[in-house]
């Protein structure tokens, strides 16, 4: 018996009896459609296609373009964010102009117009001659005192910095060829000025004593009757020993250091306070692309401020010479700002808000200034502080900056300082990036 289903019209259709219906190729279109709908499979095919010669170069170029576009957008964001912070901009303008001017014009380490009182118990020609050798600009004679108690009271109240006490029979003792003594009471609450007053006083009294002794022996001080040593000083790089050059330069370098730490740190802390750092973390940006645009933008702003300080404050008001290469100085400054910005980024990853960033910046900035060698030579420091000073970036930056601006030194002389700054920057920036990754996963 025949099966009824075998005689149905569907079983005898031309499609079912055609040779193509039984061939393996008849299922290929469906398989291709399935492969195209699978994103993993499509990604794999695309990857294999990109590795073909002629396409790998185009893919690498597209990646470079995307990377630079992300850096450009993030850097522009940092500039815009800084522009919106008007208080910070005003503070930067003040620091790079008025603060540097005040440091150069208002701070002096020279002895000028030191108030002096005289207790003259002899009132002779010799005593008057010695008194009037204490002349401006170092000393200013404010009058006479009549007893020792009054001298001590004036020193205690700060109304006199120095009291010269001349004993009775001062001239008679000198003319007889005997030794006499003077007393100089000096207020050394400011040890630098006190030391200078003592040094100048000893020179004046010593020179006067030498002249009196040679005159008594009949020796002409200007002749050749006795061997005389004439001292000839050759002061290099700052012939007039103008404090304003050094003070204004060092203050500019300190301002650069402060903002190199503060600006990137405040930018990162602001991201953490507003919660936008979490939005950046879920974006395709890498850690470097999130952190380096802050450093790049703030470095550019600091370099502009440095140029303004040089051309608007240092040279017009104080006549500070620029004997070296401005390009080299700006390049060294850029390396130093990059280095110090790494410290700021590390502080920002530790701090939870902007207030903590400010306190941590002060905690780091003040020791950096003290260990830089600007105020105290490293040779005068204890051994362990001298070792810390030798690796402090501000110490090397001051040496390089003074060498370029005042001495006209080049990279062949300053290469070791520049290399020390760069190595410190690489280490500290690597630490800040690593800590940022660990903090935010």
């Amino acid at each position: 018996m025949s099966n009824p289903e075998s005689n149905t019209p569907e079983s005898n259709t031309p499609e079912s009896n055609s040779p193509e219906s039984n061939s393996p190729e008849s299922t290929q279109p469906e398989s291709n459609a399935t492969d195209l709908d699978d994103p993993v499979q499509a990604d794999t095919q695309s990857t294999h296609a990109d590795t073909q010669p002629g396409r790998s170069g185009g893919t690498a170029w597209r990646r470079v373009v995307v990377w630079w576009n992300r850096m450009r957008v993030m850097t522009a964001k940092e500039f815009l964010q800084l522009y919106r912070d008007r208080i910070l901009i005003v503070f930067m303008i003040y620091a790079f102009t008025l603060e540097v001017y005040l440091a150069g014009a208002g701070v002096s380490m020279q002895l000028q117009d030191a108030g002096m009182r005289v207790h003259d118990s002899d009132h002779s020609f010799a005593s008057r001659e010695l008194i009037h050798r204490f002349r401006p600009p170092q000393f200013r004679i404010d009058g006479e005192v009549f007893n020792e108690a009054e001298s001590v009271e004036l020193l205690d109240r700060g109304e006199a910095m120095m009291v010269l006490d001349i004993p009775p029979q001062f001239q008679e003792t000198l003319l007889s060829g005997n030794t006499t003594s003077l007393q100089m009471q000096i207020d050394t609450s400011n040890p630098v000025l006190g030391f200078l007053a003592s040094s100048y006083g000893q020179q004046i009294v010593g020179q006067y004593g030498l002249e009196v002794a040679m005159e008594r022996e009949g020796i002409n001080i200007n002749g050749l009757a006795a061997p005389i040593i004439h001292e000839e000083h050759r002061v290099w790089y700052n012939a007039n020993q103008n404090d304003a050059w050094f003070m204004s330069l060092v203050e500019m370098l300190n301002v650069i250091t402060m903002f190199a730490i503060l600006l990137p740190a405040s930018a990162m802390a602001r991201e953490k306070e507003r919660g936008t750092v979490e939005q950046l973390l879920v974006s395709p940006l890498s850690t470097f692309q999130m952190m380096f645009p802050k450093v790049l933008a703030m470095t550019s702003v600091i370099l502009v401020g440095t140029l303004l300080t040089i051309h608007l404050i240092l040279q017009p008001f104080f006549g500070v010479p620029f004997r070296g290469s401005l390009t080299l100085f700006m390049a060294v400054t850029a390396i130093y700002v990059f280095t110090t910005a790494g410290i700021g980024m590390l502080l920002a990853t530790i701090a939870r808000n902007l207030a903590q960033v400010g306190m941590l910046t002060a905690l780091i900035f003040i020791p950096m200034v003290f260990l830089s060698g600007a105020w105290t030579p490293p040779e005068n420091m204890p051994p362990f502080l001298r070792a810390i000073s030798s690796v402090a970036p501000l110490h090397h930056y001051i040496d390089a900056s003074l060498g370029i601006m005042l001495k006209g030194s080049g990279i062949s002389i300053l290469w070791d300082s520049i290399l020390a700054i760069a190595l410190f920057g690489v280490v500290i920036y690597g630490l800040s990036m690593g800590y940022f990754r660990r903090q935010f996963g």
Side-chain angles (χ1 to χ4, degrees), residues 41-91:
Q41 183 70 18
D43 239 359
T44 306
Q45 292 177 357
S46 175
T47 303
H48 287 308
D50 288 341
T51 57
Q52 295 178 2
R55 292 190 179 183
S56 59
T59 303
W61 174 249
R62 285 195 297 270
R63 290 176 181 173
V64 170
V65 171
V66 170
W67 192 89
W68 280 109
N69 283 338
R70 291 174 180 173
M71 293 290 294
R72 176 181 58 82
V73 172
M74 291 296 294
T75 305
K77 177 188 78 70
E78 299 301 331
F79 278 118
L80 183 60
Q81 186 173 343
L82 179 62
Y83 173 75
R84 290 174 177 172
D85 196 342
R86 303 299 173 85
I87 297 178
L88 185 57
I89 292 177
V90 172
F91 178 49

Side-chain angles (χ1 to χ4, degrees), residues 265-266 268-270 272-273 343-361 435 439-440:
S266 61
M268 178 61 74
R270 195 179 293 111
K272 294 172 67 175
E273 282 185 338
I343 300 176
M345 299 302 291
L346 183 61
L347 297 181
T349 57
I350 298 173
R352 297 182 178 179
N353 50 53
L354 199 56
Q356 292 184 1
V357 165
M359 290 186 291
L360 290 175
T361 299
Y435 193 85
Q439 184 179 27
F440 292 100

Side-chain angles (χ1 to χ4, degrees), residues 233-251:
H233 295 277
R234 289 180 174 86
V235 181
W236 286 18
Y237 313 126
N238 189 354
N240 295 326
Q241 302 181 30
N242 189 354
D243 281 343
W245 289 10
F246 178 78
M247 297 303 301
S248 58
L249 272 174
V250 170
E251 185 62 24

Side-chain angles (χ1 to χ4, degrees), residues 96 249 252-257 259-260 295 298-307 309-310 322 325-341 393-394 396-398 400-402 404-405 414 417-418 421-422:
F96 277 106
L249 272 174
M252 181 186 72
L253 304 183
N254 289 337
V255 169
I256 291 172
T257 302
F259 282 111
V295 177
M298 304 312 167
T299 301
S300 304
V301 173
I302 292 173
L303 292 180
V304 172
T306 304
L307 287 174
T309 303
I310 293 173
F322 206 107
S325 170
L326 179 61
T327 303
L328 177 61
F329 174 74
M330 298 306 294
V332 174
T333 301
I335 296 173
Y336 174 73
V337 172
F338 167 79
T339 297
T340 316
L394 182 56
H396 296 285
Y397 181 52
I398 289 177
S401 300
L402 295 179
I404 294 172
M405 298 186 69
L414 305 173
S417 296
I418 299 173
I421 296 172

Side-chain angles (χ1 to χ4, degrees), residues 360-406:
L360 290 175
T361 299
L363 183 64
I364 296 296
F365 173 70
I366 296 175
M368 285 181 64
V369 173
F370 287 149
L371 295 175
S372 65
W375 303 106
T376 303
E379 294 77 12
N380 295 344
M381 298 179 182
F384 72 97
L385 290 181
R386 193 183 313 155
I388 298 175
S389 176
S390 63
V391 298
L394 182 56
H395 169 69
H396 296 285
Y397 181 52
I398 289 177
D399 286 347
S401 300
L402 295 179
I404 294 172
M405 298 186 69
L406 298 183

Side-chain angles (χ1 to χ4, degrees), residues 100-226:
V100 176
Y101 174 78
L102 292 176
V107 180
S108 176
M109 305 306 293
Q110 296 290 336
L111 184 67
Q112 293 183 352
D113 292 332
M116 174 179 170
R117 297 296 181 99
V118 179
H119 182 203
D120 188 0
S121 301
D122 190 42
H123 293 285
S124 62
F125 173 80
S127 64
R128 289 193 297 270
E129 173 68 19
L130 177 60
I131 291 170
H132 288 287
R133 292 196 175 199
F134 288 85
R135 293 175 295 192
Q138 286 82 20
F139 297 98
R140 183 189 71 248
I141 299 177
D142 292 335
E144 188 176 0
V145 295
F146 301 99
N147 54 67
E148 185 177 352
E150 186 180 357
S151 303
V152 175
E153 185 179 357
L154 290 173
L155 291 172
D156 289 341
R157 293 204 305 260
E159 296 182 6
M161 183 178 180
M162 176 177 171
V163 176
L164 178 64
D165 192 349
I166 300 177
Q169 301 179 347
F170 174 72
Q171 178 174 307
E172 181 180 349
T173 306
L174 286 177
L175 293 178
S176 64
N178 296 322
T179 302
T180 185
S181 300
L182 295 173
Q183 179 175 267
M184 288 189 297
Q185 302 177 71
I186 302 173
D187 178 8
T188 57
S189 55
N190 186 329
V192 176
L193 298 181
F195 174 77
L196 291 175
S198 175
S199 300
Y200 280 122
Q202 291 177 6
Q203 291 179 11
I204 293 171
V205 173
Q207 181 67 22
Y208 179 72
L210 178 62
E211 292 178 6
V212 170
M214 296 184 71
E215 184 179 355
R216 188 180 64 247
E217 297 297 329
I219 301 174
N220 185 6
I221 194 170
N222 296 320
L224 301 176

